[in-house]
Amino acid sequence: MSEFIQIIVSGLSAGSIYALAAVGFTLLWQASQTINFAQGEFVMLPAFFVLGAMGLGAPMWLAIAVALGLSVLLLGAAFKKLIVEPMLPHGTLPLIIATIALGLLMKESVKEFYSAQGQPFPPIFPTEVVRVFGAAISVADIMNLAVSFAAILTLQLFLQRTRTGRCMQATAQNRGVAEILGVNVKRMVMYTFLINAALAAIASILITPIYLAKFSNGETLGLVAFIAAIVGGFNQIRGALVGGLLIGVIDNLSAFYVSSEYRAAAPLILLIVIIMVRPQGIMGTSEGRTV
Amino acid sequence: MLELKDIYGGYDKITILNGTSFKVPRASITTMIGPNGAGKSTVFRAIFGLLNIRSGQILFDGQDVTRHTPKQMINHGVTYVPQGRNVIPQLSVWHNLEMGGVTARDQSKVRARMETVMDQFPMLREYKNRKAIELSGGQQQQLEIARSLLLDPKLILIDEPSIGLSPNLVQDVFVTLQRLRDQGVTILMVEQNAKAALAISDYGLVLELGQTQMHDDASKLLNDPKVGQLFLGGHFHEEEGAA
Ligand SMILES: Nc1ncnc2c1ncn2[C@@H]1O[C@H](COP(=O)(O)OP(=O)(O)O)[C@@H](O)[C@H]1O
Ligand SMILES: [Mg+2]
């Protein structure tokens, strides 16, 4: 039983980090029909910004701040301006291909210019465990969960309780009408890209201490975020959150009780089951977009 | 108050407006009729800065507003209620209404205005916390009209408000428009329901192939045998929604 609790908690912890990437993925899709196949690399890269800044002598907190700033600038603003804006008029498919190419470029660049080896990444939370009902729960897992939930909750409150957030919702749900009402649609779409980049950076900083910082980290992360978004209905923040958590838990359970050899298959099996049983996603409604 | 002078424009390489010209006097209702595809909705898009205008001029209150953006047009005092259903589906009725005042600098004035507008449409107050998508078609149309009033516009462009509404609700919408006209608002409306629309209008104009074919007092158009034959034989049956 205590073992089971441990597995569930660390599954939720990893899942909440997947959810950050999945939520960003969903937001981009809603706001600009961008399916970002570089999302995994968006989560891989910011950890290297942290390592780079620390390599230059910056303390951890400053390195994290720099990484957040750089991510928002490069993975948010520059991504939108230099890749999405020029490609989107040509259609969704060219844009998808462009994001795949961008992902490869990011991966290869890190491998070439930083390192092909996994780099140890300093833990940001104490590496202690606490005992709950006999189960050894890691403090880092709890903190990961807390930070991810706080980020998603803040985002939800921003979208619902502020006028700017509602303008972003209006832009996602009915762009033509938002424009006619005088909403600065372009700016709202830009905000979405900045938010996605920030979520990816947070995910990066939380997840990398669990593994190592490695150029190939985005491969599974991107897939998992994509699946979590689909499982969640592709249009809903809540859905992406549930999708991410579900994948984290199933992934951990299957690694422990079945075999870690098959753990990569678990999210895919979940995806197939969901597509067969509830094609609109767990939380999705067939009527369309919801934030 | 509004004048279009020889407007040419369209989509990509297709020209839809072929020298459209007409004037809309202040505090009046003008109804634009014409066959499906004549370019009526396109005229609205041209006025509201959503169309590539190749030549011609649009004057509003004596000022040249040709190619002004939607936001600029809103600031001039023009609002646009497009064809079809145009609510923000997952936002509440209240927040949809608020969106009508999104360009205002002073948001406290918007609050006050929302109360005034809800006094005119009590249904909206009753359902203010519902999602807009949960309203019926007629209620959504009311919400859209109410939203277009949020900034106290001088001119309202309204495209086929009767689509999908029962005759009673159509009459409600028309009564609302007449009340606004009596308060001094200018209204330019497109309607397929030509007879009923002209009956409550001051002026009517006929658009064909992107050109103004007739422009006269609404009563004259109503009694014109040619108009009667072409447009007043009842309702036009066409698909909804295409903007
Ligand atoms: N976005 C668009 N792109 C290309 N052609 C369009 C577009 N919207 C409308 N049209 C065409 O312009 C013509 C006029 O359309 P519209 O102004 O909607 O007519 P109406 O409102 O009088 O029925 C039609 O032939 C229509 O097919
Ligand atoms: Mg039309």
Side-chain angles (χ1 to χ4, degrees):
Chain A
M1 184 62 199
S2 66
E3 207 170 61
F4 183 73
I5 295 176
Q6 270 163 247
I7 291 165
I8 295 288
V9 171
S10 61
L12 287 174
S13 164
S16 69
I17 303 174
Y18 302 153
L20 292 174
V23 166
F25 197 94
T26 298
L27 285 181
L28 285 195
W29 164 252
Q30 287 183 326
S32 72
Q33 280 66 61
T34 305
I35 302 184
N36 181 20
F37 278 104
Q39 187 79 345
E41 280 69 35
F42 277 37
V43 178
M44 174 274 294
L45 190 65
F48 285 93
F49 293 156
V50 175
L51 290 178
M54 288 178 80
L56 296 173
M60 181 92 183
W61 64 268
L62 183 61
I64 287 176
V66 167
L68 263 173
L70 273 180
S71 299
V72 168
L73 205 66
L74 295 175
L75 305 178
F79 175 53
K80 161 101 192 328
K81 284 271 169 219
L82 303 180
I83 294 177
V84 177
E85 267 179 30
M87 294 308 288
L88 203 52
H90 301 288
T92 311
L93 192 61
L95 178 57
I96 287 177
I97 294 168
T99 65
I100 293 173
L102 174 69
L104 286 172
L105 179 73
M106 288 167 67
K107 204 165 88 175
E108 292 306 316
S109 303
V110 169
K111 186 173 157 193
E112 198 64 32
F113 299 115
Y114 201 95
S115 172
Q117 308 303 317
Q119 303 292 310
F121 191 85
I124 34 176
F125 301 118
T127 49
E128 287 154 29
V129 291
V130 289
R131 299 227 150 247
V132 185
F133 300 117
I137 308 281
S138 104
V139 172
D141 278 351
I142 302 287
M143 292 306 290
N144 285 342
L145 253 175
V147 172
S148 304
F149 268 83
I152 291 172
L153 196 68
T154 307
L155 175 64
Q156 281 278 39
L157 288 176
F158 169 71
L159 289 173
Q160 282 163 8
R161 301 280 169 85
T162 69
R163 228 156 42 84
T164 304
R166 291 192 289 272
C167 285
M168 288 179 65
Q169 288 195 61
T171 303
Q173 290 171 29
N174 198 335
R175 192 185 175 120
V177 171
E179 195 176 8
I180 279 163
L181 296 172
V183 171
N184 191 335
V185 166
K186 279 211 175 115
R187 183 181 300 164
M188 297 309 132
V189 174
M190 178 54 100
Y191 289 165
T192 311
F193 278 81
L194 302 184
I195 290 172
N196 177 55
L199 291 174
I202 296 170
S204 183
I205 292 161
L206 295 181
I207 205 156
T208 313
I210 302 177
Y211 308 108
L212 296 167
K214 197 166 181 203
F215 70 95
S216 56
N217 278 359
E219 290 166 9
T220 36
L221 282 171
L223 185 66
V224 164
F226 186 52
I227 293 176
I230 293 176
V231 165
F234 220 67
N235 272 326
Q236 298 209 348
I237 290 184
R238 256 174 312 159
L241 174 62
V242 173
L245 294 174
L246 207 57
I247 289 179
V249 170
I250 291 178
D251 186 29
N252 263 30
L253 285 176
S254 59
F256 192 82
Y257 290 109
V258 188
S259 157
S260 58
E261 272 179 60
Y262 298 121
R263 85 184 285 176
L268 288 166
I269 292 168
L270 176 67
L271 176 65
I272 292 166
V273 171
I274 290 286
I275 287 175
M276 288 193 314
V277 183
R278 271 187 78 84
Q280 72 274 40
I282 294 181
M283 316 274 288
T285 48
S286 36
E287 86 205 8
R289 301 179 188 176
T290 320
V291 172
Chain B
M1 118 160 302
L2 175 75
E3 181 173 6
L4 271 70
K5 283 182 172 173
D6 215 19
I7 297 291
Y8 284 81
Y11 307 94
D12 291 326
K13 286 178 192 95
I14 330 160
T15 302
I16 306 293
L17 304 182
N18 286 293
T20 316
S21 302
F22 60 82
K23 281 186 195 175
V24 176
R26 188 179 303 276
S28 65
I29 300 179
T30 302
T31 290
M32 186 181 351
I33 59 176
N36 195 15
K40 303 181 297 294
S41 299
T42 306
V43 166
F44 281 2
R45 297 176 62 81
I47 298 170
F48 213 66
L50 296 162
L51 190 82
N52 176 18
I53 294 177
R54 279 192 270 284
S55 68
Q57 213 183 14
I58 300 172
L59 300 175
F60 181 69
D61 269 347
Q63 190 191 347
D64 186 343
V65 298
T66 322
R67 299 185 191 86
H68 280 199
T69 63
K71 194 166 175 186
Q72 284 174 303
M73 293 309 292
I74 292 169
N75 289 338
H76 296 319
V78 182
T79 51
Y80 173 29
V81 184
Q83 201 173 325
R85 293 286 90 92
N86 298 286
V87 294
I88 310 293
Q90 304 294 337
L91 288 186
S92 68
V93 167
W94 167 266
H95 285 140
N96 262 273
L97 207 51
E98 178 200 48
M99 279 289 149
V102 78
T103 56
R105 288 241 167 268
D106 183 354
Q107 284 296 314
S108 62
K109 272 198 194 134
V110 171
R111 294 286 127 158
R113 203 46 212 151
M114 284 169 77
E115 294 299 329
T116 317
V117 168
M118 283 193 299
D119 288 340
Q120 294 174 44
F121 298 87
M123 177 278 297
L124 297 179
R125 178 164 283 129
E126 187 180 337
Y127 294 140
K128 68 178 186 180
N129 294 323
R130 288 220 187 154
K131 284 183 179 178
I133 192 74
E134 290 165 8
L135 298 184
S136 70
Q139 291 167 335
Q140 288 186 32
Q141 185 67 50
Q142 282 190 57
L143 172 57
E144 286 180 45
I145 294 174
R147 190 177 63 187
S148 77
L149 298 177
L150 241 269
L151 295 172
D152 220 348
K154 296 182 203 158
L155 170 67
I156 300 177
L157 309 171
I158 183 163
D159 198 346
E160 307 212 15
S162 77
I163 275 191
L165 300 190
S166 70
N168 279 342
L169 288 173
V170 173
Q171 275 315 312
D172 285 353
V173 170
F174 286 174
V175 167
T176 306
L177 296 179
Q178 281 179 304
R179 194 180 66 212
L180 289 167
R181 186 258 327 264
D182 296 341
Q183 292 165 5
V185 180
T186 309
I187 291 160
L188 177 58
M189 165 164 66
V190 168
E191 250 309 327
Q192 292 290 348
N193 201 340
K195 213 175 211 164
L198 285 172
I200 61 129
S201 298
D202 303 291
Y203 305 99
L205 64 87
V206 178
L207 194 81
E208 271 176 300
L209 298 172
Q211 286 182 333
T212 319
Q213 293 299 343
M214 284 184 224
H215 192 179
D216 213 331
D217 290 351
S219 57
K220 292 225 179 85
L221 285 188
L222 265 177
N223 296 320
D224 188 302
K226 215 170 93 202
V227 174
Q229 189 193 344
L230 283 172
F231 303 114
L232 302 181
H235 295 225
F236 276 72
H237 294 285
E238 54 173 324
E239 318 95 293
E240 282 182 30

